[in-house]
Amino acid sequence: MAGTENSQKSFGWAATDTSGLLFPFHFSRRENGSDDVTIKILYCGVCHSDLHSVKNEWGFTNYPIVPGHEIVGLVTKTGSDVKTFKVGDRVGVGVIVGSCKTCDICQQDLENYCPKVIFTYNSKDQDGTKTYGGYSDIIVVDQRFVLRIPDNLSSGACAPLLCAGITVYSPMKYYGMTEPGKHLGVAGLGGLGHVAVKFGKAFGLKVTVISTSPKKESEAINRLGADSFLVSSDPAQLKAAMGTMDFIIDTIAAVHPLAPLLGLLKMNGKLVTVGLPDKPLELPIFPLVLGRKLVGGSDIGGMKETQEMLDFCGKHNIIADIEMIRIDYINTAFERLAKSDVRYRFVIDVANTLASN
Amino acid sequence: MAKSPETEHPLKAFGWASRDTSGFFSPFKFSRRATGEHDVQFKVLYCGVCHSDLHMAKNEWGFSQYPLVPGHEIVGEVTEVGSKVEKFKVGDKVGVGCLVGSCRQCDQCTNDLENYCDKQILTYSAPYTDGTITYGGYSNLMVADEHFVIRWPENLPLDIGAPLLCAGITTYSPLRYYGLDKPGLNVGIVGLGGLGHVAVKFAKAFGTKVTVISTSINKKKEAIEQLGADSFLVSRDPEEMKAAAGTLDGIIDTVSASHPLLPLISLLKPHGKIVVVGAPEKPLELPVFPIIIGRKVIGGSAIGGIKETQEMIDFAAKHNILPDVEIIPIDYINTAMDRLLKSDVKYRFVIDIAKSLKPE
């Protein structure tokens, strides 16, 4: 463990091996520097990436790992150079806590694409120590990577916006999915998908949910406000919807066929993939060429855009649909998440349930 | 009673056709429709030989109609115009590319994107509105709706310029649409054949810095000295590819054989784009992580609309962009196809129809 630089005691839950089971874990955070903000964590969303990471499914986990990158909390300390936040402010921290800040990419407010980006957990921080995420009591973050939470949004339900929200908001802006009247397909109705539906409606789009489970239809339409629902395993439904969508946000994290989704696109349509399957997908070329269609990717968003997204949510009253849990439920929550058994994000009530022994 | 190709229309015509999947060409008598009020009739002077002609002659895509007269890089001289034709008169030099019809009413057509219309009619081997099958430019005479006829600029050579009508628009359109036409951008061109060599010329004319990516070092000298490429990458050399990682704003991929995308994706800067214009039959493997982490795009493109084709021809005339061709007589076509199959041409054959195509 590092020496005097890490001088704030911290407590959280960590996984120590590929079983992915989490247990209480004591560690420490750095002292609050001049640019830093120390945050008492109130809530932390449970992202599917947390599950992939604790089990080392992507191959780059460095144990012990304290996940969590959908953090909402209260400022308890501010560094001498911090002007935009004060003690008591309600703030958020998302997927990244650092970048080089000086390269072309950072200067364009695209810190998430900086080659030296530092992730909220499982990353090497500037001082050489490992970053630990939000399944813990406090976090110390450079002010550039701290976000203001709009006053009218409830903390717990706002937490998932910090990853799920920006992950779908950013490509919706970048790929031009904001023109009212256009038709958006949302493939996969989980943490990412359900927020994409809400954003889609807020942008004035016609939204169709594309899912393998017919059971989700009533909820998609009646609760989330989708205009229609397509069961992708039903060839007749797929055929009837061919060539009807301007865009598709593909949130599906498992390997799945792209051909049917490409068929749903109109000419010049765009499919944006934000789910992270662990194997390559098959990409049929003819539909791309004959229809001038494209497949693009997107990865969260920069800090400026993440703040813009939160402010947009404040304006349109958009929050995630969550199931609040105690920290000691986390291992069960992960099992349920693996089976997509959650509507649509677990959020850990950290402040009330995380107690140091 | 079913009419034969010779009798289905009033005007006698002749050309060379492939009659079966061997793809072997031989003389063929057929007929053309009378010049309708919106039609332009022209005698064919030159016709480029596109690799699509070879695929279609052998029915490799499964929708060829025999006898098949290919050719969709057609240049000629107007001999008659219909009563309502306004844009052309007898004696004008004109071109026809890959399309001779579309519905003219859908969203795509009204946005000058006839090439994406569901009901587009290909210049050859396609059902026309009168129920007959279209025949292409390996023939002496064409009749086409004025909307699909391109005005040929005076200073653009008729013979050398013909391949622009397919190869040209196929590479010009995506360079524009995907924003790879801005001065200073780094653009990669994969494959140095009919499409690739014209792509290099357009990309240079747009002021971009061009890197040719090829499996064969043999093409390097020509790419740089003759085509004007700025650099050359051998895609099978891992060291060269690694050194070039993350340097390209975009790539135009003209290769129609199956090939791995990951090495090309790695060449892109973040937010970079790969545009596929060759059409491999089988799906390619798409590694998802690199396109998400770098917000990269893989898109396709197919020829271009008529308005853009005219714009491209005018651009080529203005900037002196000419394909590199080998002019051949029509009776060389079978040998030419054999050579094309082995990529043994720099970089397009063009048939001198006027001089070599005679009725039997």
mmCIF file of all heavy atoms in Angstrom, chain A residues 113 174-175 267-268 273 275-276 280-283 285 288-290 292-299, chain B residues 108 113 116 177 271 276 279 283-286 288 291-293 295-302:
data_model
loop_
_atom_site.group_PDB
_atom_site.id
_atom_site.type_symbol
_atom_site.label_atom_id
_atom_site.label_comp_id
_atom_site.label_asym_id
_atom_site.label_seq_id
_atom_site.Cartn_x
_atom_site.Cartn_y
_atom_site.Cartn_z
ATOM 1 N N TYR A 113 -11.657 10.114 -24.932
ATOM 2 C CA TYR A 113 -10.872 9.518 -26.021
ATOM 3 C C TYR A 113 -9.383 9.832 -25.879
ATOM 4 O O TYR A 113 -8.588 9.530 -26.763
ATOM 5 C CB TYR A 113 -11.399 9.978 -27.394
ATOM 6 C CG TYR A 113 -12.820 9.506 -27.662
ATOM 7 C CD1 TYR A 113 -13.877 10.424 -27.745
ATOM 8 C CD2 TYR A 113 -13.114 8.158 -27.820
ATOM 9 C CE1 TYR A 113 -15.175 9.994 -27.956
ATOM 10 C CE2 TYR A 113 -14.416 7.728 -28.035
ATOM 11 C CZ TYR A 113 -15.436 8.650 -28.102
ATOM 12 O OH TYR A 113 -16.737 8.231 -28.316
ATOM 13 N N TYR A 174 -23.891 12.829 -31.548
ATOM 14 C CA TYR A 174 -22.821 12.762 -32.547
ATOM 15 C C TYR A 174 -23.322 12.242 -33.890
ATOM 16 O O TYR A 174 -22.912 12.707 -34.952
ATOM 17 C CB TYR A 174 -21.696 11.865 -32.032
ATOM 18 C CG TYR A 174 -20.493 11.736 -32.950
ATOM 19 C CD1 TYR A 174 -19.655 12.823 -33.193
ATOM 20 C CD2 TYR A 174 -20.166 10.519 -33.543
ATOM 21 C CE1 TYR A 174 -18.536 12.703 -34.013
ATOM 22 C CE2 TYR A 174 -19.053 10.393 -34.353
ATOM 23 C CZ TYR A 174 -18.238 11.480 -34.588
ATOM 24 O OH TYR A 174 -17.127 11.351 -35.395
ATOM 25 N N TYR A 175 -24.209 11.222 -33.846
ATOM 26 C CA TYR A 175 -24.676 10.627 -35.091
ATOM 27 C C TYR A 175 -25.975 11.260 -35.585
ATOM 28 O O TYR A 175 -26.632 10.722 -36.461
ATOM 29 C CB TYR A 175 -24.826 9.108 -34.928
ATOM 30 C CG TYR A 175 -23.499 8.374 -34.792
ATOM 31 C CD1 TYR A 175 -22.982 8.040 -33.546
ATOM 32 C CD2 TYR A 175 -22.760 8.028 -35.917
ATOM 33 C CE1 TYR A 175 -21.768 7.380 -33.423
ATOM 34 C CE2 TYR A 175 -21.543 7.356 -35.801
ATOM 35 C CZ TYR A 175 -21.053 7.043 -34.549
ATOM 36 O OH TYR A 175 -19.845 6.382 -34.438
ATOM 37 N N MET A 267 -32.386 3.452 -46.086
ATOM 38 C CA MET A 267 -31.177 3.840 -46.809
ATOM 39 C C MET A 267 -30.486 4.950 -46.035
ATOM 40 O O MET A 267 -31.157 5.804 -45.449
ATOM 41 C CB MET A 267 -31.560 4.399 -48.188
ATOM 42 C CG MET A 267 -32.268 3.417 -49.057
ATOM 43 S SD MET A 267 -31.155 2.122 -49.562
ATOM 44 C CE MET A 267 -32.191 1.234 -50.709
ATOM 45 N N ASN A 268 -29.165 4.956 -46.060
ATOM 46 C CA ASN A 268 -28.367 5.969 -45.340
ATOM 47 C C ASN A 268 -28.561 5.893 -43.824
ATOM 48 O O ASN A 268 -28.255 6.843 -43.112
ATOM 49 C CB ASN A 268 -28.697 7.395 -45.818
ATOM 50 C CG ASN A 268 -28.494 7.555 -47.301
ATOM 51 O OD1 ASN A 268 -27.415 7.344 -47.817
ATOM 52 N ND2 ASN A 268 -29.552 7.879 -48.011
ATOM 53 N N THR A 273 -23.249 1.052 -32.149
ATOM 54 C CA THR A 273 -23.124 0.020 -31.137
ATOM 55 C C THR A 273 -22.432 0.567 -29.889
ATOM 56 O O THR A 273 -21.384 1.210 -29.979
ATOM 57 C CB THR A 273 -22.406 -1.220 -31.725
ATOM 58 O OG1 THR A 273 -22.230 -2.162 -30.687
ATOM 59 C CG2 THR A 273 -21.072 -0.895 -32.332
ATOM 60 N N GLY A 275 -22.907 -1.489 -26.840
ATOM 61 C CA GLY A 275 -22.707 -2.669 -26.006
ATOM 62 C C GLY A 275 -21.341 -3.251 -26.311
ATOM 63 O O GLY A 275 -20.807 -3.032 -27.398
ATOM 64 N N LEU A 276 -20.759 -3.979 -25.392
ATOM 65 C CA LEU A 276 -19.396 -4.486 -25.567
ATOM 66 C C LEU A 276 -19.348 -6.012 -25.489
ATOM 67 O O LEU A 276 -18.991 -6.583 -24.471
ATOM 68 C CB LEU A 276 -18.471 -3.900 -24.487
ATOM 69 C CG LEU A 276 -18.024 -2.455 -24.690
ATOM 70 C CD1 LEU A 276 -17.450 -1.882 -23.398
ATOM 71 C CD2 LEU A 276 -16.969 -2.362 -25.782
ATOM 72 N N PRO A 280 -15.848 -10.743 -31.606
ATOM 73 C CA PRO A 280 -16.251 -9.924 -32.761
ATOM 74 C C PRO A 280 -17.643 -10.292 -33.274
ATOM 75 O O PRO A 280 -18.119 -11.410 -33.049
ATOM 76 C CB PRO A 280 -15.199 -10.270 -33.824
ATOM 77 C CG PRO A 280 -14.074 -10.900 -33.106
ATOM 78 C CD PRO A 280 -14.637 -11.549 -31.892
ATOM 79 N N LEU A 281 -18.285 -9.360 -33.969
ATOM 80 C CA LEU A 281 -19.580 -9.629 -34.590
ATOM 81 C C LEU A 281 -19.376 -9.859 -36.083
ATOM 82 O O LEU A 281 -18.380 -9.432 -36.658
ATOM 83 C CB LEU A 281 -20.520 -8.434 -34.385
ATOM 84 C CG LEU A 281 -20.845 -8.064 -32.935
ATOM 85 C CD1 LEU A 281 -21.800 -6.877 -32.915
ATOM 86 C CD2 LEU A 281 -21.440 -9.231 -32.193
ATOM 87 N N GLU A 282 -20.371 -10.491 -36.698
ATOM 88 C CA GLU A 282 -20.309 -10.688 -38.144
ATOM 89 C C GLU A 282 -20.934 -9.495 -38.832
ATOM 90 O O GLU A 282 -22.091 -9.167 -38.555
ATOM 91 C CB GLU A 282 -21.128 -11.930 -38.505
ATOM 92 C CG GLU A 282 -20.295 -13.053 -39.032
ATOM 93 C CD GLU A 282 -21.149 -14.239 -39.455
ATOM 94 O OE1 GLU A 282 -22.272 -14.026 -39.950
ATOM 95 O OE2 GLU A 282 -20.680 -15.361 -39.259
ATOM 96 N N LEU A 283 -20.199 -8.891 -39.750
ATOM 97 C CA LEU A 283 -20.710 -7.703 -40.432
ATOM 98 C C LEU A 283 -20.923 -7.982 -41.914
ATOM 99 O O LEU A 283 -19.965 -8.088 -42.678
ATOM 100 C CB LEU A 283 -19.694 -6.557 -40.277
ATOM 101 C CG LEU A 283 -20.070 -5.242 -40.949
ATOM 102 C CD1 LEU A 283 -21.284 -4.624 -40.273
ATOM 103 C CD2 LEU A 283 -18.899 -4.268 -40.913
ATOM 104 N N ILE A 285 -21.475 -7.072 -45.626
ATOM 105 C CA ILE A 285 -21.057 -5.838 -46.304
ATOM 106 C C ILE A 285 -22.084 -5.337 -47.318
ATOM 107 O O ILE A 285 -22.296 -4.136 -47.465
ATOM 108 C CB ILE A 285 -19.686 -6.038 -46.989
ATOM 109 C CG1 ILE A 285 -18.632 -6.365 -45.939
ATOM 110 C CG2 ILE A 285 -19.273 -4.811 -47.775
ATOM 111 C CD1 ILE A 285 -18.346 -5.267 -44.950
ATOM 112 N N LEU A 288 -24.461 -2.678 -46.278
ATOM 113 C CA LEU A 288 -23.822 -1.380 -46.051
ATOM 114 C C LEU A 288 -23.619 -0.651 -47.368
ATOM 115 O O LEU A 288 -23.879 0.545 -47.493
ATOM 116 C CB LEU A 288 -22.446 -1.559 -45.390
ATOM 117 C CG LEU A 288 -22.350 -2.062 -43.956
ATOM 118 C CD1 LEU A 288 -20.909 -1.949 -43.476
ATOM 119 C CD2 LEU A 288 -23.270 -1.299 -43.029
ATOM 120 N N VAL A 289 -23.130 -1.397 -48.361
ATOM 121 C CA VAL A 289 -22.804 -0.785 -49.643
ATOM 122 C C VAL A 289 -24.075 -0.377 -50.393
ATOM 123 O O VAL A 289 -24.225 0.768 -50.817
ATOM 124 C CB VAL A 289 -21.967 -1.758 -50.509
ATOM 125 C CG1 VAL A 289 -21.804 -1.239 -51.924
ATOM 126 C CG2 VAL A 289 -20.602 -1.969 -49.887
ATOM 127 N N LEU A 290 -25.015 -1.308 -50.527
ATOM 128 C CA LEU A 290 -26.204 -1.034 -51.334
ATOM 129 C C LEU A 290 -27.123 -0.009 -50.693
ATOM 130 O O LEU A 290 -27.919 0.627 -51.376
ATOM 131 C CB LEU A 290 -26.979 -2.330 -51.603
ATOM 132 C CG LEU A 290 -26.225 -3.349 -52.451
ATOM 133 C CD1 LEU A 290 -27.049 -4.608 -52.634
ATOM 134 C CD2 LEU A 290 -25.873 -2.762 -53.818
ATOM 135 N N ARG A 292 -25.887 2.414 -48.393
ATOM 136 C CA ARG A 292 -25.038 3.455 -47.801
ATOM 137 C C ARG A 292 -25.307 3.558 -46.295
ATOM 138 O O ARG A 292 -25.557 4.631 -45.745
ATOM 139 C CB ARG A 292 -25.201 4.826 -48.477
ATOM 140 C CG ARG A 292 -24.053 5.773 -48.106
ATOM 141 C CD ARG A 292 -23.919 6.969 -49.025
ATOM 142 N NE ARG A 292 -25.040 7.884 -49.002
ATOM 143 C CZ ARG A 292 -25.076 9.027 -49.674
ATOM 144 N NH1 ARG A 292 -24.035 9.402 -50.409
ATOM 145 N NH2 ARG A 292 -26.133 9.810 -49.623
ATOM 146 N N LYS A 293 -25.278 2.402 -45.648
ATOM 147 C CA LYS A 293 -25.528 2.388 -44.209
ATOM 148 C C LYS A 293 -24.197 2.364 -43.480
ATOM 149 O O LYS A 293 -23.167 2.063 -44.073
ATOM 150 C CB LYS A 293 -26.350 1.143 -43.852
ATOM 151 C CG LYS A 293 -27.711 1.145 -44.543
ATOM 152 C CD LYS A 293 -28.530 -0.116 -44.250
ATOM 153 C CE LYS A 293 -29.827 -0.054 -45.048
ATOM 154 N NZ LYS A 293 -30.655 -1.258 -44.873
ATOM 155 N N LEU A 294 -24.232 2.699 -42.208
ATOM 156 C CA LEU A 294 -22.981 2.623 -41.469
ATOM 157 C C LEU A 294 -23.173 2.035 -40.085
ATOM 158 O O LEU A 294 -24.265 2.068 -39.524
ATOM 159 C CB LEU A 294 -22.281 3.993 -41.394
ATOM 160 C CG LEU A 294 -22.869 5.143 -40.596
ATOM 161 C CD1 LEU A 294 -22.574 5.042 -39.116
ATOM 162 C CD2 LEU A 294 -22.270 6.451 -41.110
ATOM 163 N N VAL A 295 -22.073 1.455 -39.603
ATOM 164 C CA VAL A 295 -22.021 0.959 -38.228
ATOM 165 C C VAL A 295 -20.951 1.767 -37.525
ATOM 166 O O VAL A 295 -19.820 1.854 -38.000
ATOM 167 C CB VAL A 295 -21.630 -0.538 -38.205
ATOM 168 C CG1 VAL A 295 -21.430 -1.009 -36.773
ATOM 169 C CG2 VAL A 295 -22.691 -1.367 -38.891
ATOM 170 N N GLY A 296 -21.305 2.387 -36.422
ATOM 171 C CA GLY A 296 -20.326 3.187 -35.701
ATOM 172 C C GLY A 296 -20.305 2.806 -34.247
ATOM 173 O O GLY A 296 -21.205 2.121 -33.752
ATOM 174 N N GLY A 297 -19.272 3.233 -33.554
ATOM 175 C CA GLY A 297 -19.182 2.968 -32.121
ATOM 176 C C GLY A 297 -19.227 4.275 -31.359
ATOM 177 O O GLY A 297 -19.200 5.361 -31.930
ATOM 178 N N SER A 298 -19.318 4.177 -30.041
ATOM 179 C CA SER A 298 -19.231 5.349 -29.193
ATOM 180 C C SER A 298 -18.901 4.898 -27.786
ATOM 181 O O SER A 298 -19.306 3.805 -27.365
ATOM 182 C CB SER A 298 -20.558 6.112 -29.201
ATOM 183 O OG SER A 298 -20.441 7.306 -28.456
ATOM 184 N N ASP A 299 -18.176 5.735 -27.055
ATOM 185 C CA ASP A 299 -17.686 5.337 -25.737
ATOM 186 C C ASP A 299 -17.905 6.471 -24.748
ATOM 187 O O ASP A 299 -17.196 7.480 -24.793
ATOM 188 C CB ASP A 299 -16.186 5.008 -25.875
ATOM 189 C CG ASP A 299 -15.595 4.481 -24.581
ATOM 190 O OD1 ASP A 299 -16.364 4.002 -23.728
ATOM 191 O OD2 ASP A 299 -14.361 4.538 -24.442
ATOM 192 N N GLN B 108 -35.572 9.001 -51.728
ATOM 193 C CA GLN B 108 -34.207 8.944 -52.268
ATOM 194 C C GLN B 108 -34.143 9.697 -53.592
ATOM 195 O O GLN B 108 -33.274 10.539 -53.798
ATOM 196 C CB GLN B 108 -33.748 7.485 -52.469
ATOM 197 C CG GLN B 108 -33.902 6.591 -51.252
ATOM 198 C CD GLN B 108 -33.215 7.137 -50.007
ATOM 199 O OE1 GLN B 108 -32.164 7.758 -50.092
ATOM 200 N NE2 GLN B 108 -33.830 6.923 -48.863
ATOM 201 N N LEU B 113 -30.793 10.937 -55.048
ATOM 202 C CA LEU B 113 -30.106 9.696 -54.662
ATOM 203 C C LEU B 113 -30.753 8.511 -55.348
ATOM 204 O O LEU B 113 -31.123 7.521 -54.726
ATOM 205 C CB LEU B 113 -30.146 9.530 -53.134
ATOM 206 C CG LEU B 113 -29.344 10.556 -52.342
ATOM 207 C CD1 LEU B 113 -29.669 10.466 -50.852
ATOM 208 C CD2 LEU B 113 -27.839 10.357 -52.549
ATOM 209 N N TYR B 116 -30.026 4.907 -54.594
ATOM 210 C CA TYR B 116 -30.532 4.224 -53.410
ATOM 211 C C TYR B 116 -32.041 3.997 -53.502
ATOM 212 O O TYR B 116 -32.686 3.637 -52.524
ATOM 213 C CB TYR B 116 -30.139 4.971 -52.127
ATOM 214 C CG TYR B 116 -28.631 5.047 -51.943
ATOM 215 C CD1 TYR B 116 -27.956 6.260 -52.005
ATOM 216 C CD2 TYR B 116 -27.884 3.883 -51.759
ATOM 217 C CE1 TYR B 116 -26.571 6.311 -51.885
ATOM 218 C CE2 TYR B 116 -26.496 3.933 -51.637
ATOM 219 C CZ TYR B 116 -25.848 5.150 -51.702
ATOM 220 O OH TYR B 116 -24.482 5.205 -51.582
ATOM 221 N N TYR B 177 -19.334 12.276 -49.122
ATOM 222 C CA TYR B 177 -20.361 11.996 -48.109
ATOM 223 C C TYR B 177 -19.776 11.794 -46.725
ATOM 224 O O TYR B 177 -20.330 12.219 -45.718
ATOM 225 C CB TYR B 177 -21.168 10.757 -48.520
ATOM 226 C CG TYR B 177 -22.286 10.369 -47.563
ATOM 227 C CD1 TYR B 177 -23.416 11.176 -47.424
ATOM 228 C CD2 TYR B 177 -22.219 9.200 -46.814
ATOM 229 C CE1 TYR B 177 -24.448 10.811 -46.563
ATOM 230 C CE2 TYR B 177 -23.253 8.827 -45.958
ATOM 231 C CZ TYR B 177 -24.363 9.636 -45.836
ATOM 232 O OH TYR B 177 -25.383 9.271 -44.984
ATOM 233 N N HIS B 271 -12.363 8.540 -34.123
ATOM 234 C CA HIS B 271 -13.407 9.182 -34.944
ATOM 235 C C HIS B 271 -13.157 8.962 -36.434
ATOM 236 O O HIS B 271 -13.765 9.608 -37.272
ATOM 237 C CB HIS B 271 -13.542 10.689 -34.651
ATOM 238 C CG HIS B 271 -13.343 11.043 -33.213
ATOM 239 N ND1 HIS B 271 -14.143 10.562 -32.210
ATOM 240 C CD2 HIS B 271 -12.390 11.785 -32.612
ATOM 241 C CE1 HIS B 271 -13.691 11.007 -31.041
ATOM 242 N NE2 HIS B 271 -12.642 11.750 -31.255
ATOM 243 N N VAL B 276 -16.468 1.103 -47.217
ATOM 244 C CA VAL B 276 -16.302 -0.066 -48.068
ATOM 245 C C VAL B 276 -17.047 0.161 -49.377
ATOM 246 O O VAL B 276 -18.245 0.469 -49.365
ATOM 247 C CB VAL B 276 -16.880 -1.316 -47.374
ATOM 248 C CG1 VAL B 276 -16.530 -2.543 -48.152
ATOM 249 C CG2 VAL B 276 -16.362 -1.429 -45.965
ATOM 250 N N ALA B 279 -17.308 -5.179 -52.671
ATOM 251 C CA ALA B 279 -18.374 -5.897 -51.973
ATOM 252 C C ALA B 279 -18.049 -7.373 -51.779
ATOM 253 O O ALA B 279 -18.430 -8.210 -52.583
ATOM 254 C CB ALA B 279 -19.692 -5.742 -52.723
ATOM 255 N N PRO B 283 -19.830 -12.142 -44.970
ATOM 256 C CA PRO B 283 -19.651 -11.098 -43.937
ATOM 257 C C PRO B 283 -18.197 -11.025 -43.473
ATOM 258 O O PRO B 283 -17.481 -12.018 -43.504
ATOM 259 C CB PRO B 283 -20.542 -11.591 -42.785
ATOM 260 C CG PRO B 283 -21.471 -12.580 -43.376
ATOM 261 C CD PRO B 283 -20.788 -13.182 -44.546
ATOM 262 N N LEU B 284 -17.803 -9.839 -43.051
ATOM 263 C CA LEU B 284 -16.469 -9.672 -42.478
ATOM 264 C C LEU B 284 -16.603 -9.672 -40.961
ATOM 265 O O LEU B 284 -17.667 -9.397 -40.421
ATOM 266 C CB LEU B 284 -15.844 -8.355 -42.944
ATOM 267 C CG LEU B 284 -15.660 -8.185 -44.459
ATOM 268 C CD1 LEU B 284 -14.995 -6.854 -44.767
ATOM 269 C CD2 LEU B 284 -14.837 -9.321 -45.033
ATOM 270 N N GLU B 285 -15.479 -9.944 -40.298
ATOM 271 C CA GLU B 285 -15.502 -9.939 -38.829
ATOM 272 C C GLU B 285 -15.353 -8.515 -38.332
ATOM 273 O O GLU B 285 -14.413 -7.820 -38.729
ATOM 274 C CB GLU B 285 -14.308 -10.756 -38.335
ATOM 275 C CG GLU B 285 -14.671 -11.683 -37.213
ATOM 276 C CD GLU B 285 -13.470 -12.467 -36.725
ATOM 277 O OE1 GLU B 285 -12.472 -11.819 -36.341
ATOM 278 O OE2 GLU B 285 -13.545 -13.699 -36.754
ATOM 279 N N LEU B 286 -16.261 -8.096 -37.451
ATOM 280 C CA LEU B 286 -16.188 -6.743 -36.911
ATOM 281 C C LEU B 286 -15.806 -6.801 -35.439
ATOM 282 O O LEU B 286 -16.625 -7.167 -34.595
ATOM 283 C CB LEU B 286 -17.562 -6.065 -37.043
ATOM 284 C CG LEU B 286 -17.638 -4.664 -36.435
ATOM 285 C CD1 LEU B 286 -16.857 -3.685 -37.283
ATOM 286 C CD2 LEU B 286 -19.092 -4.212 -36.310
ATOM 287 N N VAL B 288 -15.623 -5.309 -32.053
ATOM 288 C CA VAL B 288 -16.415 -4.180 -31.572
ATOM 289 C C VAL B 288 -15.643 -3.222 -30.670
ATOM 290 O O VAL B 288 -15.802 -2.002 -30.760
ATOM 291 C CB VAL B 288 -17.679 -4.707 -30.852
ATOM 292 C CG1 VAL B 288 -18.508 -3.562 -30.315
ATOM 293 C CG2 VAL B 288 -18.521 -5.508 -31.813
ATOM 294 N N ILE B 291 -13.927 -0.192 -32.313
ATOM 295 C CA ILE B 291 -14.742 0.872 -32.886
ATOM 296 C C ILE B 291 -15.476 1.650 -31.799
ATOM 297 O O ILE B 291 -15.777 2.823 -31.983
ATOM 298 C CB ILE B 291 -15.702 0.411 -34.019
ATOM 299 C CG1 ILE B 291 -16.823 -0.470 -33.526
ATOM 300 C CG2 ILE B 291 -14.983 -0.254 -35.150
ATOM 301 C CD1 ILE B 291 -17.976 -0.422 -34.536
ATOM 302 N N ILE B 292 -15.696 1.011 -30.649
ATOM 303 C CA ILE B 292 -16.321 1.740 -29.551
ATOM 304 C C ILE B 292 -15.303 2.641 -28.866
ATOM 305 O O ILE B 292 -15.538 3.829 -28.653
ATOM 306 C CB ILE B 292 -16.939 0.748 -28.541
ATOM 307 C CG1 ILE B 292 -18.229 0.186 -29.147
ATOM 308 C CG2 ILE B 292 -17.221 1.430 -27.205
ATOM 309 C CD1 ILE B 292 -18.984 -0.732 -28.236
ATOM 310 N N ILE B 293 -14.139 2.078 -28.521
ATOM 311 C CA ILE B 293 -13.125 2.846 -27.796
ATOM 312 C C ILE B 293 -12.676 4.050 -28.615
ATOM 313 O O ILE B 293 -12.331 5.092 -28.084
ATOM 314 C CB ILE B 293 -11.904 1.945 -27.463
ATOM 315 C CG1 ILE B 293 -12.343 0.722 -26.656
ATOM 316 C CG2 ILE B 293 -10.844 2.696 -26.702
ATOM 317 C CD1 ILE B 293 -12.937 1.054 -25.320
ATOM 318 N N ARG B 295 -14.554 5.455 -31.167
ATOM 319 C CA ARG B 295 -15.700 6.052 -31.873
ATOM 320 C C ARG B 295 -15.462 6.038 -33.389
ATOM 321 O O ARG B 295 -15.490 7.059 -34.069
ATOM 322 C CB ARG B 295 -16.004 7.480 -31.386
ATOM 323 C CG ARG B 295 -17.369 7.982 -31.867
ATOM 324 C CD ARG B 295 -17.873 9.191 -31.116
ATOM 325 N NE ARG B 295 -17.076 10.388 -31.307
ATOM 326 C CZ ARG B 295 -17.400 11.589 -30.824
ATOM 327 N NH1 ARG B 295 -18.521 11.741 -30.133
ATOM 328 N NH2 ARG B 295 -16.633 12.634 -31.015
ATOM 329 N N LYS B 296 -15.215 4.845 -33.906
ATOM 330 C CA LYS B 296 -14.923 4.720 -35.332
ATOM 331 C C LYS B 296 -16.147 4.225 -36.085
ATOM 332 O O LYS B 296 -17.092 3.717 -35.486
ATOM 333 C CB LYS B 296 -13.731 3.771 -35.522
ATOM 334 C CG LYS B 296 -12.455 4.343 -34.889
ATOM 335 C CD LYS B 296 -11.268 3.401 -34.952
ATOM 336 C CE LYS B 296 -10.065 4.080 -34.273
ATOM 337 N NZ LYS B 296 -8.886 3.217 -34.212
ATOM 338 N N VAL B 297 -16.095 4.377 -37.389
ATOM 339 C CA VAL B 297 -17.271 4.090 -38.216
ATOM 340 C C VAL B 297 -16.874 3.188 -39.375
ATOM 341 O O VAL B 297 -15.818 3.359 -39.972
ATOM 342 C CB VAL B 297 -17.837 5.428 -38.767
ATOM 343 C CG1 VAL B 297 -18.679 5.225 -39.996
ATOM 344 C CG2 VAL B 297 -18.622 6.148 -37.690
ATOM 345 N N ILE B 298 -17.745 2.226 -39.682
ATOM 346 C CA ILE B 298 -17.574 1.454 -40.933
ATOM 347 C C ILE B 298 -18.834 1.690 -41.739
ATOM 348 O O ILE B 298 -19.934 1.372 -41.277
ATOM 349 C CB ILE B 298 -17.499 -0.053 -40.669
ATOM 350 C CG1 ILE B 298 -16.625 -0.357 -39.481
ATOM 351 C CG2 ILE B 298 -17.099 -0.791 -41.918
ATOM 352 C CD1 ILE B 298 -15.354 -1.014 -39.767
ATOM 353 N N GLY B 299 -18.687 2.252 -42.922
ATOM 354 C CA GLY B 299 -19.872 2.527 -43.736
ATOM 355 C C GLY B 299 -19.689 1.989 -45.137
ATOM 356 O O GLY B 299 -18.606 1.567 -45.513
ATOM 357 N N GLY B 300 -20.773 2.006 -45.903
ATOM 358 C CA GLY B 300 -20.692 1.567 -47.287
ATOM 359 C C GLY B 300 -21.099 2.694 -48.214
ATOM 360 O O GLY B 300 -21.543 3.753 -47.784
ATOM 361 N N SER B 301 -20.930 2.469 -49.500
ATOM 362 C CA SER B 301 -21.384 3.427 -50.496
ATOM 363 C C SER B 301 -21.489 2.719 -51.827
ATOM 364 O O SER B 301 -20.693 1.812 -52.123
ATOM 365 C CB SER B 301 -20.393 4.588 -50.604
ATOM 366 O OG SER B 301 -20.874 5.578 -51.492
ATOM 367 N N ALA B 302 -22.481 3.107 -52.631
ATOM 368 C CA ALA B 302 -22.685 2.481 -53.939
ATOM 369 C C ALA B 302 -22.917 3.548 -54.996
ATOM 370 O O ALA B 302 -23.916 4.271 -54.943
ATOM 371 C CB ALA B 302 -23.893 1.538 -53.896
#
